[in-house]
Amino acid sequence: MNAAAYQYRPPKPNYLPHDIEVDEPVVEEYTLPLGKADDRENAIFFNKMKFAAQEYGISRPKGYTVSYHATPEMEKHHFGQTHPMKPWRLTLTKSLVTSYGMPFAMDNYVTREATYEELNAFHGGDYLDYLITAAPEDQPRDIENPDKEVKYNLGGSDCPLFHGLYNYCSMSAGCSLDAARKICSKQSDIAITWGGGLHHAKKYEASGFCYINDIVLAILQLLRIYPRVLYIDIDVHHGDGVEEAFFSTDRVMTVSFHKYQPESFFPGTGALEDNGPKNEHNAGAHHAINVPLQDGITDEQYEALFQSIIGAINERYRPSAIALQCGADSLAGDRLGRFNLRVQGHGACVKYCKSLGLPMILFGGGGYTPRNVARAWAYETSIAIGADANIPETIPEHAPWREHFVHDTLFPSLEQSLHEPRHNRNSEKRLREIVTHVHEQLRFVAHAPSVQSQIIPPDLGPIRDEVEARLKEEKEERDEGLRRIREEGMGEAMEY
């Protein structure tokens, strides 16, 4: 066995209600402290991680490079005790990814926060200024007065003003921007950013737990290099923010698989007939594909539907790169979702997209039962590095916070996730109708390579270089300890 393969590679530097049936157990779970390991415990864990990588045959994939982009500071934030979004799901994801030894197969980057100028590439200045200056509030404004007005949709139960909000948003966007830049520079073929994927945020408005649309920012980065980007969304909610951002361009095709129940399920958009601008002279016409689904869809149905639709789109549109939002609220047992998807069914979408052989970013997104979010994203990380057939189903004994997973398997059954599977309201006839409609829409899409690059985003390179140089200098002056660690070869800041 090649021991060099396991040498440590240090990190380079509008709300409709949901019917929440399992609120109390999730809230109780959130209050459990995760704790923090000391240096000795970290050293012991590192040796176990290294042994796991050797035991499971995990090494760098041949012929392509995978990168992992994260900032641990994101994990410390929280939206409020009863809010469904739990950033510590990233901590549980890291627990599984590292326990299986996957970092040895990837380039690992600790990313910096996105700057105001970088966020301003999509979001309006007035909105960003308010996001920066808005004071945190311990209780959403609409708790006692449901009709109370909130500016930019900030401060209500949907998008509360929590402590460290702007920093959290900047970290999330920083992860996704770094992932996109590694794809653009050919340093990475598959870039993973589980802290991103916040697909509901609009140019001037927060929405659906999303304040900054990191996906749009990342795609704008990709468009500087790649003529056509295919955006795919497997979150249980419609990817409305990304669709809206690229509504009038043919350089991005958006495809969203989601639950559609406009009267009662957020955001209420994404009908089958919503395929972009109605004016045929608008470049974006027919470049928004929506796949509306009902409760209870199964792995088999979802996988067949996904492959049929994405396969046809790939053949017709011929994208140059893929941005795949892997929202885990489409899993069975999610606090907000109502599908019957298992971890394997969710991961099958990642596996199929990887098989297309295109540069790809994997984003996080929704997911409100943290233990299942972690399972899905860890499994999908293993798919990205080509180790999904190697890793054991049983969660390693040395995994931190193993007790939070309840069951010791990476692939819980529907019964373990739900106690009782949900009634499947998706008939085969309706699924065939969806496929037929999508294929009909694709007839109106210009066959590649005839797609023209009509909009070229501005180049923020000079601004980025200046800002990054300043941040690097400030960080070195501020943190002598980190510099010493870097010089010892144990870790360094993100590459710029």
Side-chain angles (χ1 to χ4, degrees):
M1 184 174 296
N2 182 11
Y6 301 105
Q7 290 179 353
Y8 180 55
R9 296 177 181 84
K12 304 170 183 177
N14 325 323
Y15 195 51
L16 293 172
H18 296 84
D19 180 16
I20 301 176
E21 298 175 353
V22 290
D23 190 89
E24 289 308 315
V26 175
V27 173
E28 289 172 6
E29 181 185 65
Y30 175 72
T31 61
L32 291 173
L34 291 180
K36 184 177 180 180
D38 57 29
D39 291 342
R40 178 178 173 277
E41 291 172 322
N42 283 331
I44 293 172
F45 177 74
F46 171 76
N47 287 328
K48 291 180 178 178
M49 179 178 78
K50 183 176 180 179
F51 179 79
Q54 294 171 335
E55 183 180 9
Y56 306 146
I58 291 177
S59 59
R60 293 176 71 85
K62 291 180 172 57
Y64 67 98
T65 301
V66 180
S67 58
Y68 196 92
H69 307 260
T71 175
E73 292 299 311
M74 275 189 71
E75 304 164 19
K76 301 176 182 178
H77 293 78
H78 68 89
F79 288 50
Q81 286 293 105
T82 58
H83 198 284
M85 177 62 89
K86 311 295 183 189
W88 68 275
R89 65 199 182 140
L90 298 173
T91 306
L92 292 186
T93 301
K94 180 171 64 179
S95 166
L96 291 182
V97 169
T98 55
S99 295
Y100 282 112
M102 296 185 206
F104 291 107
M106 302 181 284
D107 291 334
N108 303 284
Y109 296 95
V110 176
T111 62
R112 63 161 172 82
E113 296 182 10
T115 65
Y116 180 96
E117 292 84 356
E118 289 169 331
L119 301 179
N120 197 210
F122 173 62
H123 291 283
D126 291 346
Y127 172 67
L128 291 176
D129 292 342
Y130 185 81
L131 196 65
I132 293 171
T133 57
E137 299 175 356
D138 293 330
Q139 179 172 297
R141 301 176 189 177
D142 54 0
I143 292 293
E144 297 180 356
N145 183 3
D147 299 322
K148 189 169 184 179
E149 184 179 354
V150 291
K151 193 173 184 179
Y152 300 117
N153 198 35
L154 290 168
S157 300
D158 178 27
C159 296
L161 293 167
F162 59 85
H163 293 267
L165 170 59
Y166 183 76
N167 299 94
Y168 175 85
C169 296
S170 301
M171 291 174 193
S172 172
C175 290
S176 297
L177 280 170
D178 190 45
R181 286 168 183 156
K182 292 300 182 289
I183 294 289
C184 289
S185 64
K186 306 294 193 289
Q187 291 176 264
S188 180
D189 299 292
I190 300 175
I192 301 171
T193 172
W194 296 133
L198 306 180
H199 57 169
H200 294 307
K202 311 299 195 301
K203 186 179 182 71
Y204 286 100
E205 181 183 71
S207 176
F209 317 159
C210 305
Y211 303 81
I212 292 293
N213 202 314
D214 62 284
I215 301 173
V216 171
L217 294 171
I219 291 177
L220 287 173
Q221 193 74 226
L222 293 177
L223 290 174
R224 296 194 176 101
I225 301 296
Y226 298 100
R228 295 172 299 281
V229 175
L230 174 60
Y231 171 68
I232 307 170
D233 192 313
I234 58 173
D235 194 288
V236 79
H237 301 94
H238 177 227
D240 57 336
V242 183
E243 179 182 300
E244 180 180 306
F246 298 108
F247 197 67
S248 294
T249 179
D250 54 6
R251 292 194 61 196
V252 179
M253 177 171 281
T254 60
V255 188
S256 179
F257 297 77
H258 53 267
K259 176 176 174 176
Y260 181 67
Q261 196 171 337
E263 299 82 12
S264 59
F265 196 76
F266 178 83
T269 54
L272 181 63
E273 297 76 20
D274 294 337
N275 299 120
K278 300 303 180 185
N279 187 340
E280 294 291 335
H281 297 291
N282 190 310
H286 309 290
H287 283 74
I289 303 297
N290 284 299
V291 183
L293 304 169
Q294 299 301 311
D295 291 350
I297 192 166
T298 64
D299 284 355
E300 295 76 18
Q301 288 178 318
Y302 201 94
E303 185 175 352
L305 190 67
F306 186 89
Q307 293 188 13
S308 175
I309 290 174
I310 299 303
I313 290 172
N314 180 60
E315 183 177 346
R316 183 74 182 184
Y317 185 62
R318 296 291 174 88
S320 315
I322 292 176
L324 175 57
Q325 197 264 22
C326 303
D329 47 7
S330 47
L331 289 172
D334 187 79
R335 183 177 175 183
L336 302 184
R338 292 291 181 273
F339 289 171
N340 285 335
L341 291 187
R342 296 183 62 197
V343 169
Q344 299 95 314
H346 199 267
C349 300
V350 177
K351 186 176 294 188
Y352 183 75
C353 288
K354 180 188 173 186
S355 73
L356 300 178
L358 297 170
M360 180 167 63
I361 302 178
L362 299 181
F363 298 89
Y368 308 102
T369 302
R371 57 182 176 270
N372 288 338
V373 176
R375 286 182 168 103
W377 291 349
Y379 177 58
E380 286 157 9
T381 301
S382 76
I383 292 173
I385 62 176
D388 49 301
N390 298 11
I391 60 172
E393 293 187 17
T394 302
I395 294 174
E397 292 288 342
H398 60 273
W401 310 296
R402 193 173 187 268
E403 67 278 5
H404 284 270
F405 293 96
V406 182
H407 303 289
D408 64 1
T409 177
L410 191 63
F411 306 122
S413 65
L414 286 179
E415 289 72 24
Q416 289 172 321
S417 297
L418 285 168
H419 303 298
E420 182 178 342
R422 302 190 182 279
H423 177 63
N424 188 354
R425 302 183 183 279
N426 299 273
S427 68
E428 293 299 328
K429 178 176 180 295
R430 177 56 177 167
L431 297 181
R432 286 195 298 270
E433 290 172 351
I434 291 173
V435 172
T436 300
H437 176 86
V438 171
H439 284 228
E440 179 67 21
Q441 288 298 313
L442 292 176
R443 291 179 56 245
F444 297 96
V445 173
H447 212 327
S450 61
V451 177
Q452 300 298 312
S453 299
Q454 297 194 7
I455 300 174
I456 302 177
D459 187 3
L460 296 180
I463 297 175
R464 183 175 71 246
D465 293 343
E466 181 182 343
V467 169
E468 289 178 342
R470 186 185 75 240
L471 290 174
K472 183 178 181 181
E473 183 178 349
E474 290 176 353
K475 187 170 185 178
E476 288 180 348
E477 291 176 353
R478 179 174 70 241
D479 198 340
E480 290 294 329
L482 180 60
R483 185 189 304 178
R484 286 195 298 271
I485 293 174
R486 185 185 301 120
E487 290 170 350
E488 293 170 2
M490 294 299 293
E492 61 183 81
M494 174 188 87
E495 284 188 349
Y496 296 107

